[in-house]
Amino acid sequence: MPIPEDVTGDEIDKDVRQELQSLPKTLAEDVAKNLVMVARLIDEDPEGAYGYSKVALRLASRVAAVREAAGFAAYANQKYGEALAEFRAARRMTGTVDLWPVMADCERGLGRPEKALDMAGAPEVHKLDKAGQVEMRLVAAGARRDMGQLDAAIVTLQSPELASNSVQPWTARLRYAYADALLAAGREREAREWFAKAVEADRDGSTDASDRLAELDGVEFVDALSEADEDVEDGQDATGESADASPEDGGKD
């Protein structure tokens, strides 16, 4: 697959670069460039990211960072079985538990929420950092919802992290998940309160909490451009004048 000229491979994380040092220099550069493309495209063009991940995998399947990148690319394309296999391979190579929550979420994607819950109660969870533990809580709550256990999902999300007033990278998503679970349980007033709290914490727009809040408040957004197009179709220009009115007669008979 083509690599843009502005991609050098030096953009990758230093830890990944260190992993690639086990490869011949030219090969390491090629792998690095493909990993950069995976990271660049995974949010906006997951299929493209998946393609580059397959190239990197073909070039260096014994590098943990490559297997992890391939896992996330597959995950972004909802190829959960493939993603889980790649994450497991990366974990075997590194011995770390960092991927445990996303592995559990793959089990959800494969229609096995019970397995995800088993993983949420495993000893590996205690080895996760705070962000990983919050992510695991989100996955466990999602598994409960998959099983129709709304009340249990709500209880799962109730935690010191949810109650804290400090804003962390995970705060908006945690509050959003809690609000969404409350709304699904018919607790609209509480849901509105937590969607508002999610908006306060969502500094980078990672959720659509503001839209959900507006929807609960009955706010309807109107596309001004679409309205102008409709006016033109109805015989009016964008200023509201009749499209048949001529400058000479001012639109009068």
Side-chain angles (χ1 to χ4, degrees):
M1 297 181 68
I3 303 289
E5 292 183 2
D6 66 317
V7 174
T8 65
D10 294 333
E11 301 89 341
I12 61 172
D13 183 89
K14 64 179 182 179
D15 292 334
V16 177
R17 190 180 300 114
Q18 187 172 356
E19 276 193 68
L20 296 179
Q21 288 179 355
S22 62
L23 303 173
K25 187 174 185 298
T26 302
L27 179 59
E29 290 175 353
D30 289 342
V31 173
K33 289 178 181 179
N34 279 281
L35 291 180
V36 170
M37 292 305 298
V38 173
R40 177 180 288 190
L41 298 176
I42 196 162
D43 291 328
E44 296 182 0
D45 181 11
E47 288 187 11
Y50 180 74
Y52 283 104
S53 76
K54 299 302 281 187
V55 175
L57 197 59
R58 188 169 65 248
L59 295 173
S61 62
R62 296 185 180 182
V63 176
V66 171
R67 303 303 289 266
E68 183 174 330
F72 278 110
Y75 179 82
N77 284 275
Q78 300 183 2
K79 299 178 184 291
Y80 298 116
E82 185 176 333
L84 184 58
E86 297 299 343
F87 289 142
R88 283 173 173 167
R91 182 168 180 264
R92 285 195 300 270
M93 292 175 178
T94 63
T96 65
V97 297
D98 296 349
L99 296 171
W100 196 253
V102 71
M103 290 169 62
D105 206 39
C106 285
E107 295 288 1
R108 284 186 61 211
L110 291 168
R112 301 193 292 246
E114 298 89 351
K115 177 62 177 175
L117 287 176
D118 287 344
M119 294 179 69
E124 284 82 354
V125 175
H126 300 294
K127 301 176 184 178
L128 294 169
D129 61 14
K130 180 62 68 176
Q133 290 179 4
V134 170
E135 195 64 36
M136 192 72 248
R137 189 177 292 276
L138 287 167
V139 173
R144 290 293 187 188
R145 292 191 62 172
D146 293 342
M147 299 166 68
Q149 301 173 1
L150 277 175
D151 290 340
I154 291 170
V155 171
T156 298
L157 292 168
Q158 292 170 344
S159 62
E161 293 80 20
L162 179 68
S164 174
N165 290 324
S166 66
V167 175
Q168 303 295 334
W170 61 77
T171 303
R173 292 178 57 241
L174 183 59
R175 292 177 179 179
Y176 182 95
Y178 189 59
D180 194 47
L182 288 169
L183 187 60
R187 295 161 62 175
E188 186 172 317
R189 183 185 60 80
E190 294 171 87
R192 190 206 174 281
E193 175 187 348
W194 282 97
F195 275 127
K197 290 182 178 182
V199 171
E200 293 175 359
D202 196 359
R203 296 166 178 170
D204 58 357
S206 61
T207 74
D208 65 346
S210 59
D211 292 340
R212 299 292 299 277
L213 182 61
E215 183 180 338
L216 284 175
D217 288 342
V219 177
E220 184 176 349
F221 294 100
V222 177
D223 189 334
L225 291 177
S226 295
E227 276 198 337
D229 290 342
E230 290 176 3
D231 287 343
V232 171
E233 289 177 3
D234 291 339
Q236 294 182 336
D237 62 19
T239 65
E241 295 291 341
S242 169
D244 295 329
S246 65
E248 290 80 4
D249 62 15
K252 298 179 181 179
D253 292 332

